[in-house]
Amino acid sequence: MIDLQLTDKTHDEERQGEALIVDAPLVRNGRKLYIESYGCQMNFADSEIVASILLDQGFETTGDYKEADVVFINTCSIRENAEQRVRNRLSQFGAEKRRNPKLIVGVLGCMAERLKSKFLEEEKLVDVVVGPDAYRELPQLLSEVESGHKAINVLLSREETYADISPVRLNGNGITAFISIMRGCDNMCSFCVVPFTRGRERSRDPHSIMAEAQDLFDRGYKEVTLLGQNVDSYKWKGNDADDSTEIEVNFAQLLEKVALISPDLRIRFSTSHPKDITDEVLYTIAKYDNICNYIHLPIQSGSSRVLELMNRTYTREWYINRIDAIRNIIPDCAISSDIIAGFCTETEEEHQETLSIMDYVKYDFAFTFSYSERPGTLAARKFEDDIPEDVKKRRLSEILIKQQETSLYRLQQFVGKTVRILVEGTSKKSDKDFCGRNDQNAMVVFPATEGVSAGQYVYVHIDRCTSATLLGTVVVEEPEIV
Ligand code: SAH
Ligand code: SF4
Ligand code: F3S
């Protein structure tokens, strides 16, 4: 068992694509490694693969980069400010390197892939640049650096899924874990850098996904989140577990397989795509109590014209149809979204269309962003980034205010009711309180109660709420639940 201490992350930070710092002190013999991650959940899952590869090399690790021999920063390119944050951090590592010239500094992830060898030219202190599909090469690349050369591997792959590498769990709670089920993205949303940094979409084989989920459950984990940029297009073809017949597995079938591991293992997944989410997926969610009633279904914009420019390949009406299907098939399903304010040529009326669809859906939660032009994307090549910063900012704040209202509205619906939650541990704000999420992914905080511990399912009566959190008390008897 490896003791890994991570900075706690909020729901908010998980999807910002830029906010979170992870320092992962792995403890073993040998040289010392420090890893820090930025970006989406996929990047955090990748850091767990990287940690596994280097542990096999006998690395000791540390939570303090000042005592490390190797510092890795796993980077995100999704918006300009995400990259700026990485550069600021690199200059701090640079100061350390001047003090300790033997320190090896490596840049991993999406920024490594986007900038490639330019990174080595621009940032003199960086020794090694490794793209998301080249982590198996890390030991060789580190050897090259030790023999006095700069090293780089940014080859993207059509096959790599790291299926056989057992991730070192960097999430300290021992209750919830991510499982990557696919890599890359074949959509070409015009604003998005991910297809360039992560390469072609490929699905991981279901046998290794099942084995990973089963292993986590056997080790006491109670919740897994299946990760992909577009989980609805998961598709795998190959031999069944006995190697006898050829099978094809889609996302609904994969969900069902994982749900059948145990009713005590909760399943979440992210991200769903409005063009691909099928009724079959919705019926599968409805059929199994342990598949959480929560769907992250990013809309990006409420205007069909803007959606077309974004190359999202659905319209406002199509999106509303998918929302209606969710509400019909899974009546108590929570829905969250990603929204971009101020995309190229967006008019005031089109911005209003975004606000009006937010009224229609009443999202439980939304991640909201100001459009940030990314070099090389379709939008950067085809359209002018013509919405002034102050207009983007104002539209974003209108979106944020609307979202705060609907988040509060959604949470208020739980007040006075009793919900079943999975206890994740003590609350961030006070160790006298516990926290956990309900089925719909709402965070619930309640006073620590004797006999209740992390990893248990408990019923909590909700007494009140803020716009982000439900507050309540544990009830002992099994009640009628929502
Ligand atoms: N695969 C997911 C999204 C991954 S990126 C999906 O299709 O929904 C997470 C979010 O970042 C996106 O949904 C989008 O809202 C936002 N984003 C991506 N590129 C952006 C850009 N150039 N400017 C602002 N926000 C962006
Ligand atoms: Fe980017 Fe679109 Fe792919 Fe999401 S689906 S990762 S927004 S290209
Ligand atoms: Fe960022 Fe790459 Fe994820 S660009 S959001 S870390 S896929």
Side-chain angles (χ1 to χ4, degrees):
M1 180 75 194
I2 302 148
D3 185 20
L4 293 158
Q5 197 58 50
L6 287 196
T7 40
D8 203 3
K9 59 181 161 182
T10 64
H11 182 60
D12 211 49
E13 287 165 331
E14 276 169 17
R15 298 238 355 132
Q16 289 289 332
E18 58 196 36
L20 189 61
I21 293 173
V22 172
D23 53 69
L26 313 175
V27 183
R28 260 180 74 162
N29 299 323
R31 288 177 306 154
K32 289 190 171 136
L33 163 73
Y34 173 88
I35 313 178
E36 193 169 286
S37 304
Y38 294 78
C40 62
Q41 293 163 340
M42 306 273 323
N43 241 21
F44 286 88
D46 279 4
S47 289
E48 298 182 335
I49 300 278
V50 168
S52 173
I53 292 168
L54 289 188
L55 269 185
D56 276 355
Q57 300 290 309
F59 268 81
E60 268 189 38
T61 62
T62 171
D64 178 4
Y65 73 86
K66 292 189 174 156
E67 58 169 54
D69 299 286
V70 173
V71 166
F72 282 152
I73 181 161
N74 196 356
T75 60
C76 174
S77 283
I78 200 81
R79 284 168 291 276
E80 198 180 340
N81 55 5
E83 292 201 348
Q84 195 48 50
R85 210 167 289 187
V86 166
R87 289 195 193 271
N88 295 345
R89 193 61 173 147
L90 276 174
S91 65
Q92 282 170 308
F93 295 152
E96 186 54 28
K97 189 156 174 153
R98 277 190 288 281
R99 201 185 60 81
N100 167 17
K102 281 207 188 131
L103 176 68
I104 296 177
V105 175
V107 175
L108 317 179
C110 291
M111 224 175 143
E113 191 63 49
R114 192 177 85 72
L115 290 161
K116 303 186 169 59
S117 58
K118 261 206 271 174
F119 224 128
L120 294 174
E121 292 152 27
E122 286 173 21
E123 303 274 354
K124 295 284 179 248
L125 73 115
V126 173
D127 302 293
V128 54
V129 170
V130 192
D133 285 346
Y135 296 145
R136 284 182 201 270
E137 299 302 314
L138 276 169
Q140 292 83 324
L141 293 164
L142 286 179
S143 306
E144 267 180 59
V145 174
E146 272 153 15
S147 62
H149 305 102
K150 300 254 176 189
I152 179 163
N153 189 333
V154 288
L155 288 178
L156 287 172
S157 157
R158 277 171 181 265
E159 284 96 35
E160 182 62 271
T161 58
Y162 300 112
D164 57 314
I165 296 182
S166 185
V168 171
R169 295 297 159 186
L170 297 177
N171 187 335
N173 74 7
I175 311 291
T176 61
F178 297 128
I179 300 181
S180 284
I181 62 163
M182 53 208 295
R183 298 180 72 80
C185 183
D186 278 356
N187 294 317
M188 270 286 175
C189 302
S190 63
F191 52 78
C192 186
V193 78
V194 172
F196 304 96
T197 62
R198 293 264 163 181
R200 297 306 297 268
E201 181 184 288
R202 64 221 96 123
S203 295
R204 177 180 170 186
D205 77 273
H207 315 309
S208 70
I209 295 170
M210 295 288 293
E212 195 173 322
Q214 181 71 56
D215 175 60
L216 285 164
F217 184 67
D218 294 344
R219 289 193 287 133
Y221 282 78
K222 293 286 168 54
E223 183 181 297
V224 294
T225 304
L226 308 181
L227 290 183
Q229 294 297 351
N230 177 4
V231 288
D232 300 298
S233 65
Y234 178 89
K235 194 159 226 34
W236 187 84
K237 207 171 166 177
N239 283 355
D240 68 3
D242 308 332
D243 223 8
S244 51
T245 33
E246 191 170 76
I247 52 166
E248 232 182 83
V249 181
N250 66 16
F251 183 57
Q253 291 157 336
L254 181 72
L255 265 182
E256 179 159 50
K257 280 175 186 288
V258 182
L260 286 169
I261 288 177
S262 164
D264 281 340
L265 182 67
R266 261 186 179 182
I267 324 296
R268 297 190 188 280
F269 52 90
S270 187
T271 299
S272 303
H273 197 297
K275 85 169 151 60
D276 295 318
I277 190 167
T278 59
D279 287 356
E280 188 191 1
V281 166
L282 302 181
Y283 283 116
T284 308
I285 299 169
K287 181 170 167 195
Y288 292 95
D289 278 347
N290 59 331
I291 304 180
C292 289
N293 290 352
Y294 167 58
I295 300 177
H296 183 62
L297 195 69
I299 184 161
Q300 314 296 359
S301 164
S303 148
S304 294
R305 190 192 73 91
V306 174
L307 286 169
E308 193 176 344
L309 293 185
M310 287 177 163
N311 202 25
R312 287 290 287 182
T313 67
Y314 54 84
T315 59
R316 178 185 174 92
E317 292 67 35
W318 174 278
Y319 188 89
I320 287 177
N321 166 286
R322 293 291 75 207
I323 294 294
D324 293 347
I326 295 171
R327 300 269 185 243
N328 284 334
I329 298 169
I330 320 162
D332 63 345
C333 193
I335 304 176
S336 62
S337 196
D338 292 347
I339 300 173
I340 298 178
F343 186 66
C344 314
T345 75
E346 182 189 67
T347 65
E348 214 46 50
E349 292 69 35
E350 288 163 342
H351 164 61
Q352 291 299 329
E353 287 190 82
T354 297
L355 294 174
S356 72
I357 209 161
M358 291 177 76
D359 279 332
Y360 183 81
V361 183
K362 292 200 171 52
Y363 291 113
D364 292 75
F365 194 85
F367 300 92
T368 58
F369 312 102
S370 211
Y371 173 59
S372 162
E373 186 177 84
R374 309 309 296 131
T377 55
L378 286 178
R381 282 183 273 146
K382 278 169 55 184
F383 314 123
E384 195 190 334
D385 179 13
D386 59 350
I387 308 299
E389 274 313 307
D390 58 332
V391 177
K392 284 184 188 171
K393 242 192 186 155
R394 196 249 311 142
R395 289 181 186 170
L396 181 64
S397 76
E398 289 172 9
I399 290 170
L400 267 169
I401 288 167
K402 169 117 3 228
Q403 187 49 49
Q404 269 170 0
E405 286 165 15
T406 55
S407 291
L408 180 63
Y409 166 81
R410 286 288 176 205
L411 290 182
Q412 280 167 342
Q413 307 311 303
F414 292 111
V415 175
K417 296 188 175 142
T418 295
V419 299
R420 183 172 182 260
I421 71 153
L422 171 61
V423 183
E424 288 180 18
T426 49
S427 140
K428 256 193 296 181
K429 290 199 182 130
S430 154
D431 57 11
K432 294 201 176 73
D433 288 333
F434 278 150
C435 67
R437 288 172 194 281
N438 71 358
D439 199 345
Q440 287 87 349
N441 208 36
M443 182 53 90
V444 181
V445 173
F446 57 97
T449 310
E450 225 183 277
V452 173
S453 56
Q456 276 181 345
Y457 291 98
V458 295
Y459 294 96
V460 175
H461 182 267
I462 304 302
D463 305 316
R464 59 199 170 90
C465 70
T466 68
S467 68
T469 314
L470 296 173
L471 302 154
T473 18
V474 169
V475 293
V476 183
E477 307 253 307
E478 187 168 320
E480 236 184 79
I481 56 162
V482 290

